[in-house]
Amino acid sequence: MAAPHLSLKGRALRYLSMREHSRLELGRKLARHAEEGDDVEALLDFLEKNNWLSQERFSESLIHRRSARFGNSRIMAELQSHGVRGEALQELKAGLVDSEMARAREVWERKYGTVASDPAERNKQMRFLMQRGFSQRAVKAAMQGRDPDDD
């Protein structure tokens, strides 16, 4: 049995019921299914007006999903790729700065757990954390095996 043809609005609501989307991301997904005469931008405006589409909720959701595994720079880059810009981005970054060292420590402990004994292993651990988007300060604190609350 073939799936029923969804309207653009129905498709948008289905996407939003699964998880939060940014305006840019939802617009891209809907554009693939838009037919002649469909106004994707008007639909996105309607969804935002009715608070079904929210950049704030999307940003909070993305941060919640990513913060346990990634550092600030990686999360900020992902937010920017989803169209979050300006003052909203700066506010989100300020909120993440406080917990970065603790998050780096948790990621390091899950992966390694012991302070490296030789330079090669130390470099490997540092690269791992840096690739995850943690700042040098957070990586240094995690690598020293100290609790960030001791500062």
Side-chain angles (χ1 to χ4, degrees):
M1 184 171 176
H5 177 72
L6 285 174
S7 67
L8 208 54
K9 182 179 176 184
R11 193 175 296 276
L13 292 175
R14 189 180 83 201
Y15 286 139
L16 289 171
S17 70
M18 290 186 234
R19 70 169 176 86
E20 293 292 337
H21 286 69
S22 70
R23 181 182 175 104
L24 183 65
E25 178 184 26
L26 188 59
R28 281 188 202 135
K29 286 183 175 185
L30 293 175
R32 290 185 290 210
H33 302 284
E35 297 173 1
E36 182 117 7
D38 288 339
D39 189 2
V40 175
E41 288 301 315
L43 175 61
L44 294 173
D45 291 338
F46 172 78
L47 293 171
E48 280 184 334
K49 185 179 134 205
N50 288 309
N51 205 24
W52 292 333
L53 178 65
S54 168
Q55 283 291 92
E56 292 82 28
R57 277 196 320 264
F58 167 75
S59 300
E60 290 170 8
S61 172
L62 188 134
I63 288 171
H64 178 72
R65 287 181 310 203
R66 301 289 193 250
S67 64
R69 295 182 348 195
F70 298 112
N72 293 357
S73 62
R74 176 97 174 249
I75 293 171
M76 289 297 115
E78 191 167 349
L79 284 168
Q80 286 177 334
S81 74
H82 284 282
V84 178
R85 304 254 188 273
E87 190 176 308
L89 189 66
Q90 295 307 315
E91 289 175 13
L92 294 168
K93 186 175 184 176
L96 280 172
V97 166
D98 299 334
S99 66
E100 186 180 33
M101 281 199 250
R103 291 183 290 120
R105 173 82 178 159
E106 289 171 16
V107 169
W108 176 79
E109 280 188 1
R110 273 195 311 258
K111 179 77 173 179
Y112 299 105
T114 58
V115 178
S117 57
D118 64 333
E121 181 65 23
R122 186 174 192 281
N123 288 338
K124 178 181 173 185
Q125 291 181 11
M126 287 177 73
R127 276 193 313 273
F128 171 77
L129 290 172
M130 297 289 278
Q131 288 172 344
R132 291 285 177 120
F134 290 104
S135 68
Q136 287 183 345
R137 183 175 173 216
V139 169
K140 195 175 201 179
M143 296 291 299
Q144 291 174 348
R146 67 170 195 235
D147 194 347
D149 297 331
D150 292 346
D151 287 346

